[in-house]
Amino acid sequence: MRAAMRIVAYGTLFLVVTCCTIFWTRFTGGLAFVWLGTAIASALFLALPRAQHFRAAAFLTMMSTVATSLFGFGPVWAFPLALINVFEAWFIAWLLVRIRPERDYIESERGIVWLGLLAGVVGPFAAAIPGGLLVTQIVGGSAQFHTFSWLVGHGLGTLLVMPLALLLTSYREPLVMRVREVGKVFSFSAVVLLTLAISACALLQSTLPSLFLPIVPLVLASYHFGRFGASITVLIITAFSAVTLGLDVGVFAELHLELWQKVLFVQFYLSVLLLISFPMAVALKQRQRFMQELVNREAMQRLIADHSDDALLHLDESGTIRFASPASTRLSGHNAVEGRHLAAFFGTFDRKIVVDALALAARCPGQTEIIERSVERGGQTRWLEAKLRAIEPARKQAPTFVVTIRDVTERKLAEIQISREARTDVLTGLPNRRALLGVLEEQLEFADERPFGFALIDLDHFKAINDSHGHAVGDKVLQQVAGIMRDSASDDCFFARIGGEEFGLVAVGSAVDNMAIICERLRLAILRNVMTDNDGGHFNVTASIGIARISERCSSSMAMQAADGPLYSAKAAGRNCLRFAQHMGHFVPADTNDLPASPLRAIR
C-alpha cells in the first residue's frame, strides 16, 4: 500500500513537472530544452524495491504519454518517447545501485562523483541516441542535433534536480523539521532573504558581471544547513533565473544567444552551483560527524582511563609521556610521569629494551609490541606488562605511540608456579626428568668448551623394598633420598628424579673435578640413612652410581648412555659402588681402588 501511494505521488509530480517543462521550454518545435522528469523518476526507482519497478515504470510511462500527447508531439509519438524517457530513468537508477550499492550518492564525495557521471552523462547518453533518432523521424532535421539536445537537456536537468529528489526520498520526516530547532528558524530565514537579495542583484542587472555572487549565500546555506540548505538556495537561484529568462531582462538577456541556448547555459550554470555546494555540504557533514565521534570517543577514553587499573599513556615520537592516566602514578612509583620517558616505569637496565621496542613499533605501525619486566615497588618484586603501538603518522611526520601498562604479578607468579610444577617431581619435590633434560641440553651446547659431569644414581633392590614393606614405605624411601640430594645440591650440582628409583646429577664448574668425591659422599649418606618400615623395623638402602665426563657436543640420549654404561657396571660389580665411564672425555679410573686415600676409599 505504501509503495502504491509513493508511485502515485511521484507519478503525479512527474506529470506536472513534465507538462510544465514541455510547455515552457519547447521553443523550436522539437525537444524540450529543460527536462527534469528523469530525476524524479530515477529517485522513485531508487526508493522502491525491485519487485515494484514494473508497476512504477507502467504508471510513469502512462504519465509521460499523457504529457507528450497534450503538450508535445501528439498521441502518435507519445508512447515510444515515453518508453525511452522511462527507460532512461530506470537505467540511471540501475547503474547507481549496481556501481554504488552503498547508496551514498548524496552522502560522500565519491558518491556525488558517481551520481554526476551516471545521472548526468551515462544514463542520458544511452537514451539520447534512440531518442534523437526518433525525434528526427518526427520533425526532421539533423539526428546529431536532436541527440545532442536530448543529452544536454536531460543531463543538465537531471543533475539539477536529482540531489534534491534523493534528499526528499531519503528523509523519513519532513525537511522543514531540519530548521525547526531553537535558534535555527531565524538563521534559516536570514539565509533565504540573503539569497533572494543577492540573486536579485546578480541576475536582474546586466551592468556588472556578477554571476559569482550567489555563491556567497550558497556557501553559507551549505555550512549551516547542509544539503538541505544548498538545495533550497539553488532552487531560489533557479526561480530568479527562470524569471529573468521569461522577462528577457538581466544578465542572461545580454547573452548573444538563441533562447534555447540561453536555457541550456542557465541549466549549466545552475548545475555548476549545485555541484559546488553539494560536495562542500557533504564534506562539512562528514567533518561534523567525525568531530562528534572524536568528542564521544575522547569522553569514553577519559572515562576508561580515570577508572582503569591499567596505565594508559600517549607518547611523542621520542618516547616521552605526554598523557598518563591516574593509574600511572601507582604503577610507575613516581608522583608524576608526564615529561618522563616510558623507561621510567621499569628498571635502569631495561631502558635499552624499551627503546628497542619503541623503534620496532615505529617501523611497523599498527603492530603491538609487548614488554614484560620485573620491577621493585615498595620492597616487593612486581611484574609489569607494557603493550605499545605506533600511530600511523600523517604525511612525513614522526609516529607517536599509545601504551597500556598493567600489573601482571599474579599472572606471572601463576605461570612460574605452573612451570615449576611442570618441571618438578610431585612425590620427591626434586626437578623431574623434563627439567633434567633441559639443564643437560643447555650444558651440551657448550660441552666442547666447558666440560661437565653427569651421573645416574639408582637405588639398589628397590623393587624388593616395595614388595617387602609396601609402596607407601617405598615412597618414603624416595622422599628421604631426595632430601639427602637437596642437602647436597648447590649452584654447581643439579639433582633430579628421572623416574622410579633412578636419579640424575649434573655437575658444572668446580664440581666437575670433584665429581667422584661428591658422588661417594652421596652414596655413603644414603647408606647411613636409617629407614623405618610400618612395623617400626629399621633397614638401610644402598645406591649404585655411574659417572661420565661430557666434553664434546652430543645428544642428550647419548649423554644418558654415557653414564648408563658405568651404572650397569656398578650393578654388575655388586651394587653400592661407583663406576666411571672410559669415554666422553677423561675422568678418574674405573677402578675405585685407584682413588686417592681418604675416608671414602671403602666403596663396598
Side-chain angles (χ1 to χ4, degrees):
M1 184 65 182
R2 187 174 182 179
M5 292 177 60
R6 176 168 284 182
I7 291 173
V8 172
Y10 274 78
T12 304
L13 179 62
F14 175 83
L15 174 64
V16 173
V17 171
T18 302
C19 289
C20 293
T21 52
I22 295 174
F23 180 77
W24 280 317
T25 67
R26 189 165 169 262
F27 307 118
T28 61
L31 291 168
F33 288 100
V34 176
W35 190 260
L36 311 178
T38 299
I40 299 171
S42 294
L44 175 61
F45 284 121
L46 288 171
L48 291 174
R50 185 176 298 178
Q52 299 293 330
H53 281 192
F54 181 78
R55 293 173 58 189
F59 190 73
L60 290 171
T61 301
M62 183 175 64
M63 295 296 101
S64 181
T65 301
V66 172
T68 305
S69 299
L70 294 176
F71 301 101
F73 297 110
V76 176
W77 301 102
F79 181 72
L81 282 172
L83 289 177
I84 299 175
N85 286 327
V86 174
F87 165 78
E88 178 183 19
W90 175 86
F91 185 59
I92 290 173
W94 181 82
L95 286 175
L96 289 171
V97 173
R98 185 85 176 188
I99 296 178
R100 293 296 294 180
E102 301 90 341
R103 294 177 177 260
D104 57 346
Y105 318 120
I106 55 175
E107 299 288 341
S108 68
E109 292 89 343
R110 184 169 294 183
I112 290 176
V113 170
W114 278 110
L115 177 66
L117 178 64
L118 300 178
V121 180
V122 178
F125 181 79
I129 296 175
L133 294 175
L134 184 60
V135 174
T136 303
Q137 297 296 319
I138 300 173
V139 300
S142 170
Q144 293 180 348
F145 172 78
H146 293 304
T147 300
F148 175 76
S149 299
W150 185 297
L151 176 61
V152 175
H154 285 233
L156 293 177
T158 304
L159 276 180
L160 185 61
V161 178
M162 192 77 173
L164 182 58
L166 292 174
L167 201 61
L168 287 167
T169 58
S170 63
Y171 283 101
R172 297 180 180 178
E173 59 180 354
L175 288 174
V176 293
M177 296 297 294
R178 301 274 294 169
V179 296
R180 288 184 60 180
E181 300 177 15
V182 177
K184 284 195 173 183
V185 174
F186 298 105
S187 57
F188 181 75
S189 301
V191 170
V192 170
L193 292 175
L194 180 64
T195 304
L196 291 170
I198 291 181
S199 297
C201 295
L203 301 177
L204 293 178
Q205 62 85 31
S206 58
T207 305
L208 299 173
S210 54
L211 287 177
F212 63 91
L213 288 178
I215 295 177
V216 175
L218 192 61
V219 171
L220 289 175
S222 301
Y223 181 79
H224 289 285
F225 303 102
R227 295 161 301 173
F228 172 68
S231 299
I232 294 300
T233 305
V234 171
L235 282 179
I236 294 173
I237 300 171
T238 301
F240 265 96
S241 300
V243 170
T244 59
L245 281 175
L247 298 177
D248 196 24
V249 296
V251 64
F252 297 124
E254 298 300 319
L255 297 175
H256 299 290
L257 300 171
E258 297 292 335
L259 182 57
W260 64 272
Q261 294 174 325
K262 292 181 181 179
V263 171
L264 293 180
F265 175 78
V266 170
Q267 286 188 85
F268 174 75
Y269 169 71
L270 296 173
S271 299
V272 169
L273 290 181
L274 195 64
L275 291 176
I276 290 174
S277 60
F278 247 74
M280 180 174 58
V282 168
L284 289 171
K285 182 67 175 180
Q286 290 179 336
R287 181 178 179 275
Q288 291 173 356
R289 186 183 299 119
F290 172 77
M291 294 301 296
Q292 186 60 45
E293 290 178 356
L294 192 63
V295 170
N296 295 340
R297 187 176 301 175
E298 183 178 0
M300 180 63 70
Q301 290 174 345
R302 289 283 182 179
L303 181 64
I304 294 173
D306 291 343
H307 296 84
S308 175
D309 292 333
D310 299 347
L312 306 180
L313 311 173
H314 181 250
L315 318 181
D316 62 15
E317 65 276 6
S318 65
T320 303
I321 301 169
R322 296 307 179 194
F323 166 79
S325 66
S328 303
T329 301
R330 174 178 56 84
L331 294 177
S332 67
H334 299 288
N335 293 330
V337 295
E338 284 87 351
R340 296 177 181 265
H341 194 271
L342 177 61
F345 279 83
F346 303 98
T348 304
F349 298 103
D350 295 329
R351 185 179 181 91
K352 185 177 186 306
I353 296 175
V354 175
V355 171
D356 291 344
L358 289 171
L360 183 59
R363 290 195 297 269
C364 305
Q367 178 176 311
T368 300
E369 299 298 325
I370 300 177
I371 304 172
E372 192 174 80
R373 308 298 294 172
S374 61
V375 297
E376 292 294 325
R377 294 288 183 268
Q380 295 182 339
T381 300
R382 312 294 295 178
W383 283 86
L384 297 183
E385 178 191 72
K387 293 183 178 181
L388 55 97
R389 175 180 293 192
I391 301 175
E392 191 76 35
R395 297 180 183 176
K396 295 184 179 180
Q397 297 178 354
T400 57
F401 305 89
V402 288
V403 182
T404 63
I405 300 179
R406 64 173 51 184
D407 188 328
V408 294
T409 303
E410 292 184 4
R411 190 198 74 194
K412 193 66 178 179
L413 292 178
E415 291 176 356
I416 294 173
Q417 181 64 25
I418 292 172
S419 176
R420 182 183 293 117
E421 291 175 355
R423 298 169 62 87
T424 302
D425 179 62
V426 177
L427 177 63
T428 63
L430 285 177
N432 59 15
R433 181 185 182 91
R434 176 186 294 178
L436 177 68
L437 291 176
V439 173
L440 196 58
E441 289 173 356
E442 288 179 4
Q443 296 301 319
L444 286 169
E445 187 175 354
F446 303 100
D448 53 348
E449 301 174 6
R450 299 194 299 268
F452 66 96
F454 180 59
L456 290 176
I457 304 132
D458 190 86
L459 301 184
D460 299 327
H461 303 297
F462 188 75
K463 184 177 184 301
I465 295 174
N466 281 331
D467 293 341
S468 301
H469 303 287
H471 288 280
V473 173
D475 290 345
K476 289 182 181 179
V477 170
L478 294 174
Q479 291 171 345
Q480 291 188 33
V481 170
I484 295 172
M485 292 181 177
R486 271 194 297 271
D487 293 339
S488 302
S490 66
D491 292 340
D492 293 338
C493 293
F494 178 84
F495 288 93
R497 183 189 178 194
I498 297 175
E501 69 272 21
E502 190 174 33
F503 298 83
L505 164 63
V506 176
V508 299
S510 60
V512 177
D513 295 331
N514 297 320
M515 191 75 168
I517 297 175
I518 294 171
C519 290
E520 179 63 10
R521 286 175 179 171
L522 176 65
R523 184 191 67 80
L524 289 176
I526 294 173
L527 173 64
R528 294 166 181 170
N529 186 67
V530 179
M531 308 293 178
T532 304
D533 60 19
N534 292 327
D535 299 326
H538 302 286
F539 64 94
N540 295 90
V541 177
T542 61
S544 300
I545 304 175
I547 308 170
R549 178 187 176 92
I550 312 297
S551 59
E552 60 185 62
R553 294 183 183 183
C554 63
S555 65
S556 57
S557 60
M558 289 184 64
M560 297 278 282
Q561 292 174 11
D564 204 39
L567 175 63
Y568 276 105
S569 297
K571 292 284 187 180
R575 295 182 172 84
N576 189 28
C577 62
L578 315 181
R579 286 294 183 269
F580 306 94
Q582 297 293 336
H583 54 285
M584 303 300 289
H586 299 287
F587 218 132
V588 296
D591 185 358
T592 56
N593 291 322
D594 292 335
L595 286 169
S598 71
L600 304 179
R601 179 170 182 150
I603 298 177
R604 294 181 176 83

Short mmCIF file of all heavy atoms in Angstrom, two decimals, residues 364-408:
data_model
loop_
_atom_site.label_atom_id
_atom_site.label_comp_id
_atom_site.label_asym_id
_atom_site.label_seq_id
_atom_site.Cartn_x
_atom_site.Cartn_y
_atom_site.Cartn_z
N CYS A 364 56.87 -0.58 12.36
CA CYS A 364 55.70 -1.39 11.99
C CYS A 364 54.44 -0.80 12.64
O CYS A 364 53.94 -1.37 13.62
CB CYS A 364 55.89 -2.84 12.40
SG CYS A 364 57.38 -3.61 11.78
N PRO A 365 53.95 0.37 12.16
CA PRO A 365 52.74 0.95 12.75
C PRO A 365 51.57 -0.03 12.69
O PRO A 365 51.38 -0.73 11.70
CB PRO A 365 52.49 2.19 11.88
CG PRO A 365 53.80 2.51 11.25
CD PRO A 365 54.47 1.18 11.05
N GLY A 366 50.79 -0.06 13.76
CA GLY A 366 49.65 -0.97 13.82
C GLY A 366 49.99 -2.31 14.44
O GLY A 366 49.09 -3.08 14.78
N GLN A 367 51.28 -2.59 14.62
CA GLN A 367 51.70 -3.86 15.23
C GLN A 367 52.01 -3.63 16.71
O GLN A 367 52.71 -2.68 17.06
CB GLN A 367 52.94 -4.41 14.52
CG GLN A 367 53.48 -5.70 15.11
CD GLN A 367 54.65 -6.25 14.31
OE1 GLN A 367 54.58 -6.37 13.10
NE2 GLN A 367 55.75 -6.56 14.98
N THR A 368 51.50 -4.48 17.56
CA THR A 368 51.66 -4.32 19.00
C THR A 368 52.94 -4.99 19.47
O THR A 368 53.18 -6.16 19.17
CB THR A 368 50.46 -4.90 19.76
OG1 THR A 368 49.27 -4.24 19.34
CG2 THR A 368 50.62 -4.72 21.26
N GLU A 369 53.76 -4.24 20.20
CA GLU A 369 54.96 -4.78 20.83
C GLU A 369 54.70 -4.92 22.33
O GLU A 369 54.05 -4.08 22.93
CB GLU A 369 56.16 -3.86 20.59
CG GLU A 369 56.52 -3.67 19.13
CD GLU A 369 56.92 -4.97 18.46
OE1 GLU A 369 57.55 -5.82 19.14
OE2 GLU A 369 56.61 -5.16 17.28
N ILE A 370 55.23 -5.98 22.92
CA ILE A 370 54.97 -6.28 24.33
C ILE A 370 56.29 -6.33 25.09
O ILE A 370 57.26 -6.98 24.64
CB ILE A 370 54.21 -7.61 24.49
CG1 ILE A 370 52.86 -7.54 23.76
CG2 ILE A 370 54.00 -7.93 25.96
CD1 ILE A 370 52.08 -8.82 23.79
N ILE A 371 56.33 -5.63 26.23
CA ILE A 371 57.48 -5.67 27.13
C ILE A 371 56.98 -6.21 28.46
O ILE A 371 55.98 -5.73 29.00
CB ILE A 371 58.10 -4.27 27.34
CG1 ILE A 371 58.47 -3.64 26.00
CG2 ILE A 371 59.29 -4.34 28.26
CD1 ILE A 371 58.91 -2.19 26.13
N GLU A 372 57.68 -7.19 29.00
CA GLU A 372 57.31 -7.77 30.29
C GLU A 372 58.56 -7.84 31.15
O GLU A 372 59.49 -8.59 30.86
CB GLU A 372 56.71 -9.16 30.09
CG GLU A 372 56.03 -9.72 31.33
CD GLU A 372 55.33 -11.03 31.05
OE1 GLU A 372 56.02 -12.08 31.01
OE2 GLU A 372 54.11 -11.01 30.84
N ARG A 373 58.58 -7.02 32.22
CA ARG A 373 59.77 -6.93 33.06
C ARG A 373 59.37 -6.89 34.53
O ARG A 373 58.27 -6.46 34.89
CB ARG A 373 60.58 -5.66 32.73
CG ARG A 373 60.91 -5.46 31.28
CD ARG A 373 61.78 -6.56 30.73
NE ARG A 373 63.10 -6.59 31.33
CZ ARG A 373 63.97 -7.56 31.13
NH1 ARG A 373 63.67 -8.59 30.35
NH2 ARG A 373 65.16 -7.52 31.70
N SER A 374 60.31 -7.34 35.38
CA SER A 374 60.10 -7.25 36.83
C SER A 374 60.66 -5.94 37.35
O SER A 374 61.68 -5.44 36.85
CB SER A 374 60.79 -8.43 37.53
OG SER A 374 62.19 -8.40 37.30
N VAL A 375 59.98 -5.36 38.34
CA VAL A 375 60.40 -4.09 38.93
C VAL A 375 60.27 -4.20 40.45
O VAL A 375 59.58 -5.08 40.96
CB VAL A 375 59.54 -2.91 38.41
CG1 VAL A 375 59.71 -2.72 36.93
CG2 VAL A 375 58.07 -3.12 38.76
N GLU A 376 60.93 -3.29 41.14
CA GLU A 376 60.84 -3.23 42.59
C GLU A 376 59.88 -2.10 42.98
O GLU A 376 60.09 -0.96 42.59
CB GLU A 376 62.21 -2.99 43.21
CG GLU A 376 63.18 -4.15 43.07
CD GLU A 376 62.72 -5.38 43.84
OE1 GLU A 376 62.13 -5.20 44.93
OE2 GLU A 376 62.93 -6.49 43.34
N ARG A 377 58.84 -2.44 43.72
CA ARG A 377 57.87 -1.46 44.19
C ARG A 377 57.61 -1.71 45.67
O ARG A 377 57.06 -2.75 46.04
CB ARG A 377 56.55 -1.57 43.41
CG ARG A 377 56.66 -1.22 41.94
CD ARG A 377 56.86 0.27 41.71
NE ARG A 377 56.88 0.59 40.30
CZ ARG A 377 57.98 0.64 39.56
NH1 ARG A 377 59.16 0.40 40.13
NH2 ARG A 377 57.92 0.91 38.27
N GLY A 378 58.02 -0.75 46.50
CA GLY A 378 57.77 -0.89 47.94
C GLY A 378 58.45 -2.09 48.55
O GLY A 378 57.89 -2.73 49.45
N GLY A 379 59.64 -2.42 48.09
CA GLY A 379 60.36 -3.55 48.63
C GLY A 379 59.88 -4.89 48.12
O GLY A 379 60.36 -5.94 48.60
N GLN A 380 58.96 -4.91 47.19
CA GLN A 380 58.45 -6.15 46.63
C GLN A 380 58.74 -6.20 45.13
O GLN A 380 58.81 -5.16 44.47
CB GLN A 380 56.94 -6.28 46.87
CG GLN A 380 56.55 -6.40 48.32
CD GLN A 380 55.05 -6.56 48.48
OE1 GLN A 380 54.27 -6.21 47.58
NE2 GLN A 380 54.63 -7.09 49.62
N THR A 381 58.87 -7.40 44.64
CA THR A 381 59.07 -7.59 43.20
C THR A 381 57.72 -7.69 42.52
O THR A 381 56.89 -8.52 42.89
CB THR A 381 59.89 -8.86 42.91
OG1 THR A 381 61.17 -8.74 43.54
CG2 THR A 381 60.07 -9.05 41.41
N ARG A 382 57.49 -6.82 41.55
CA ARG A 382 56.25 -6.84 40.78
C ARG A 382 56.60 -7.02 39.31
O ARG A 382 57.70 -6.70 38.87
CB ARG A 382 55.46 -5.53 40.96
CG ARG A 382 55.28 -5.06 42.38
CD ARG A 382 54.43 -6.00 43.18
NE ARG A 382 53.05 -6.06 42.69
CZ ARG A 382 52.13 -6.85 43.21
NH1 ARG A 382 52.43 -7.66 44.23
NH2 ARG A 382 50.91 -6.86 42.73
N TRP A 383 55.65 -7.53 38.56
CA TRP A 383 55.83 -7.72 37.11
C TRP A 383 54.90 -6.76 36.38
O TRP A 383 53.70 -6.70 36.66
CB TRP A 383 55.52 -9.15 36.71
CG TRP A 383 56.62 -10.11 37.06
CD1 TRP A 383 56.81 -10.75 38.25
CD2 TRP A 383 57.69 -10.52 36.21
NE1 TRP A 383 57.92 -11.54 38.20
CE2 TRP A 383 58.49 -11.43 36.96
CE3 TRP A 383 58.06 -10.23 34.91
CZ2 TRP A 383 59.63 -12.03 36.44
CZ3 TRP A 383 59.19 -10.83 34.39
CH2 TRP A 383 59.96 -11.72 35.14
N LEU A 384 55.46 -5.99 35.43
CA LEU A 384 54.68 -5.06 34.61
C LEU A 384 54.71 -5.52 33.15
O LEU A 384 55.76 -5.94 32.65
CB LEU A 384 55.23 -3.64 34.70
CG LEU A 384 55.20 -2.96 36.07
CD1 LEU A 384 55.72 -1.53 35.95
CD2 LEU A 384 53.81 -2.98 36.67
N GLU A 385 53.55 -5.42 32.51
CA GLU A 385 53.45 -5.74 31.08
C GLU A 385 53.04 -4.48 30.33
O GLU A 385 52.00 -3.89 30.63
CB GLU A 385 52.41 -6.84 30.86
CG GLU A 385 52.22 -7.19 29.39
CD GLU A 385 51.01 -8.08 29.17
OE1 GLU A 385 49.87 -7.57 29.29
OE2 GLU A 385 51.20 -9.28 28.89
N ALA A 386 53.85 -4.08 29.38
CA ALA A 386 53.57 -2.89 28.56
C ALA A 386 53.26 -3.34 27.15
O ALA A 386 54.03 -4.10 26.55
CB ALA A 386 54.75 -1.93 28.57
N LYS A 387 52.14 -2.87 26.62
CA LYS A 387 51.79 -3.10 25.21
C LYS A 387 51.81 -1.75 24.52
O LYS A 387 51.09 -0.83 24.93
CB LYS A 387 50.40 -3.73 25.10
CG LYS A 387 50.33 -5.14 25.66
CD LYS A 387 48.95 -5.75 25.46
CE LYS A 387 48.89 -7.18 25.97
NZ LYS A 387 47.56 -7.79 25.77
N LEU A 388 52.61 -1.62 23.51
CA LEU A 388 52.77 -0.33 22.83
C LEU A 388 52.58 -0.50 21.34
O LEU A 388 52.92 -1.52 20.76
CB LEU A 388 54.13 0.30 23.15
CG LEU A 388 55.39 -0.51 22.89
CD1 LEU A 388 55.99 -0.13 21.56
CD2 LEU A 388 56.39 -0.30 24.00
N ARG A 389 52.02 0.54 20.75
CA ARG A 389 51.72 0.53 19.31
C ARG A 389 51.95 1.93 18.77
O ARG A 389 51.57 2.92 19.39
CB ARG A 389 50.29 0.09 19.06
CG ARG A 389 49.87 0.16 17.61
CD ARG A 389 48.45 -0.29 17.40
NE ARG A 389 48.27 -1.71 17.66
CZ ARG A 389 47.19 -2.38 17.34
NH1 ARG A 389 46.18 -1.76 16.77
NH2 ARG A 389 47.08 -3.66 17.60
N ALA A 390 52.55 2.00 17.59
CA ALA A 390 52.78 3.28 16.94
C ALA A 390 51.53 3.69 16.17
O ALA A 390 50.89 2.85 15.52
CB ALA A 390 53.97 3.21 16.00
N ILE A 391 51.18 4.97 16.26
CA ILE A 391 50.06 5.51 15.50
C ILE A 391 50.56 5.86 14.10
O ILE A 391 51.61 6.47 13.94
CB ILE A 391 49.47 6.75 16.19
CG1 ILE A 391 49.01 6.38 17.60
CG2 ILE A 391 48.33 7.34 15.38
CD1 ILE A 391 48.53 7.56 18.40
N GLU A 392 49.79 5.43 13.09
CA GLU A 392 50.18 5.70 11.69
C GLU A 392 50.41 7.19 11.50
O GLU A 392 49.50 8.00 11.72
CB GLU A 392 49.09 5.22 10.75
CG GLU A 392 49.49 5.22 9.30
CD GLU A 392 50.40 4.05 8.95
OE1 GLU A 392 50.23 2.96 9.52
OE2 GLU A 392 51.28 4.25 8.09
N PRO A 393 51.63 7.61 11.14
CA PRO A 393 51.89 9.04 11.01
C PRO A 393 51.23 9.64 9.77
O PRO A 393 51.02 8.96 8.77
CB PRO A 393 53.42 9.11 10.89
CG PRO A 393 53.80 7.78 10.29
CD PRO A 393 52.80 6.79 10.83
N ALA A 394 50.87 10.91 9.88
CA ALA A 394 50.30 11.63 8.74
C ALA A 394 51.44 12.24 7.93
O ALA A 394 52.33 12.89 8.48
CB ALA A 394 49.36 12.73 9.22
N ARG A 395 51.38 12.00 6.62
CA ARG A 395 52.41 12.51 5.70
C ARG A 395 53.79 12.03 6.16
O ARG A 395 54.01 10.86 6.35
CB ARG A 395 52.32 14.03 5.59
CG ARG A 395 51.00 14.51 5.01
CD ARG A 395 50.95 16.03 4.93
NE ARG A 395 49.64 16.46 4.43
CZ ARG A 395 49.28 17.73 4.31
NH1 ARG A 395 50.11 18.69 4.64
NH2 ARG A 395 48.08 18.04 3.86
N LYS A 396 54.72 12.96 6.39
CA LYS A 396 56.08 12.57 6.74
C LYS A 396 56.38 12.86 8.21
O LYS A 396 57.55 12.95 8.60
CB LYS A 396 57.08 13.31 5.84
CG LYS A 396 56.97 12.92 4.37
CD LYS A 396 58.06 13.60 3.56
CE LYS A 396 57.97 13.20 2.08
NZ LYS A 396 59.02 13.84 1.26
N GLN A 397 55.36 12.98 9.03
CA GLN A 397 55.57 13.23 10.44
C GLN A 397 56.06 11.97 11.14
O GLN A 397 55.79 10.86 10.70
CB GLN A 397 54.28 13.74 11.09
CG GLN A 397 53.79 15.07 10.53
CD GLN A 397 52.49 15.51 11.16
OE1 GLN A 397 51.89 14.78 11.94
NE2 GLN A 397 52.06 16.70 10.84
N ALA A 398 56.76 12.18 12.25
CA ALA A 398 57.23 11.04 13.04
C ALA A 398 56.05 10.40 13.77
O ALA A 398 55.11 11.09 14.17
CB ALA A 398 58.29 11.51 14.04
N PRO A 399 56.10 9.09 13.95
CA PRO A 399 54.97 8.42 14.62
C PRO A 399 54.94 8.71 16.12
O PRO A 399 55.97 8.96 16.75
CB PRO A 399 55.24 6.94 14.36
CG PRO A 399 56.72 6.86 14.21
CD PRO A 399 57.15 8.15 13.56
N THR A 400 53.75 8.72 16.69
CA THR A 400 53.58 8.77 18.13
C THR A 400 53.11 7.39 18.60
O THR A 400 52.86 6.51 17.79
CB THR A 400 52.57 9.86 18.53
OG1 THR A 400 51.32 9.60 17.85
CG2 THR A 400 53.08 11.24 18.11
N PHE A 401 52.98 7.22 19.91
CA PHE A 401 52.72 5.89 20.44
C PHE A 401 51.59 5.93 21.46
O PHE A 401 51.43 6.92 22.19
CB PHE A 401 53.98 5.32 21.12
CG PHE A 401 55.20 5.28 20.24
CD1 PHE A 401 56.06 6.36 20.18
CD2 PHE A 401 55.48 4.17 19.47
CE1 PHE A 401 57.19 6.35 19.38
CE2 PHE A 401 56.59 4.13 18.65
CZ PHE A 401 57.45 5.22 18.62
N VAL A 402 50.84 4.85 21.52
CA VAL A 402 49.89 4.63 22.60
C VAL A 402 50.35 3.38 23.35
O VAL A 402 50.80 2.41 22.73
CB VAL A 402 48.45 4.45 22.08
CG1 VAL A 402 47.90 5.76 21.58
CG2 VAL A 402 48.38 3.40 20.98
N VAL A 403 50.24 3.44 24.68
CA VAL A 403 50.79 2.39 25.52
C VAL A 403 49.80 2.06 26.63
O VAL A 403 49.17 2.97 27.20
CB VAL A 403 52.15 2.80 26.14
CG1 VAL A 403 52.73 1.67 26.97
CG2 VAL A 403 53.12 3.22 25.05
N THR A 404 49.66 0.79 26.94
CA THR A 404 48.95 0.36 28.14
C THR A 404 49.93 -0.43 28.99
O THR A 404 50.71 -1.24 28.48
CB THR A 404 47.74 -0.52 27.81
OG1 THR A 404 48.16 -1.72 27.17
CG2 THR A 404 46.76 0.22 26.91
N ILE A 405 49.91 -0.16 30.29
CA ILE A 405 50.78 -0.87 31.24
C ILE A 405 49.91 -1.41 32.35
O ILE A 405 49.10 -0.68 32.93
CB ILE A 405 51.88 0.06 31.80
CG1 ILE A 405 52.75 0.61 30.67
CG2 ILE A 405 52.73 -0.69 32.82
CD1 ILE A 405 53.84 1.55 31.13
N ARG A 406 50.09 -2.69 32.66
CA ARG A 406 49.31 -3.29 33.73
C ARG A 406 50.20 -4.15 34.62
O ARG A 406 51.26 -4.64 34.19
CB ARG A 406 48.17 -4.14 33.18
CG ARG A 406 48.58 -5.35 32.37
CD ARG A 406 47.39 -6.21 32.00
NE ARG A 406 46.33 -5.41 31.40
CZ ARG A 406 45.16 -5.91 31.07
NH1 ARG A 406 44.89 -7.19 31.28
NH2 ARG A 406 44.24 -5.14 30.52
N ASP A 407 49.76 -4.32 35.85
CA ASP A 407 50.45 -5.17 36.81
C ASP A 407 50.01 -6.62 36.56
O ASP A 407 48.85 -6.97 36.72
CB ASP A 407 50.09 -4.74 38.23
CG ASP A 407 50.93 -5.45 39.28
OD1 ASP A 407 51.32 -6.61 39.04
OD2 ASP A 407 51.19 -4.86 40.34
N VAL A 408 50.96 -7.47 36.15
CA VAL A 408 50.64 -8.86 35.84
C VAL A 408 51.35 -9.80 36.81
O VAL A 408 51.65 -10.95 36.47
CB VAL A 408 51.03 -9.19 34.38
CG1 VAL A 408 50.19 -8.41 33.40
CG2 VAL A 408 52.53 -8.92 34.14
#
